[in-house]
Amino acid sequence: MKSMTFENILLDGFDQLGSFFVEENESESSGKNSSALGIEYNSIKLQLSSEFSTSHKIKQKRVLPPQLTPQRLARFFGQKNAVGC
């Protein structure tokens, strides 16, 4: 488009790359082991249990906010199948 400046073209190009960077990265692990041995009436009882959990969270952020251009609007309409003939 003739009305787009060089800066607008550059921003739109980077926006179309869809680049993200990791803003936050969290990891958590926990574990628990226990055992018990007991005697019951004429038998032996053995109990073992184990628990382990882990979680990982990554928060990403776009390098640039989405550029609101006619091309971007056309892509959004195309993705929603909202283009009329």
Side-chain angles (χ1 to χ4, degrees), residues 6-74:
F6 178 73
E7 184 177 328
N8 294 127
I9 294 170
L10 205 57
L11 286 173
D12 187 47
F14 277 109
D15 179 43
Q16 289 183 33
L17 290 174
S19 298
F20 289 83
F21 66 94
V22 176
E23 183 178 56
E24 203 173 296
N25 194 349
E26 295 179 14
S27 184
E28 184 179 312
S29 297
S30 64
K32 178 179 158 181
N33 291 318
S34 64
S35 61
L37 177 63
I39 298 175
E40 290 187 0
Y41 181 72
N42 289 333
S43 66
I44 296 175
K45 181 180 177 183
L46 176 64
Q47 291 179 330
L48 297 172
S49 65
S50 179
E51 294 178 22
F52 186 78
S53 65
T54 184
S55 66
H56 192 76
K57 178 182 170 185
I58 296 176
K59 184 176 180 182
Q60 293 184 326
K61 190 173 185 179
R62 288 181 61 97
V63 173
L64 293 171
Q67 301 300 303
L68 303 177
T69 62
Q71 293 87 353
R72 174 70 71 166
L73 182 60

Side-chain angles (χ1 to χ4, degrees), residues 1-5 9 69-71:
M1 294 183 65
K2 290 182 180 181
S3 63
M4 290 182 73
T5 66
I9 294 170
T69 62
Q71 293 87 353

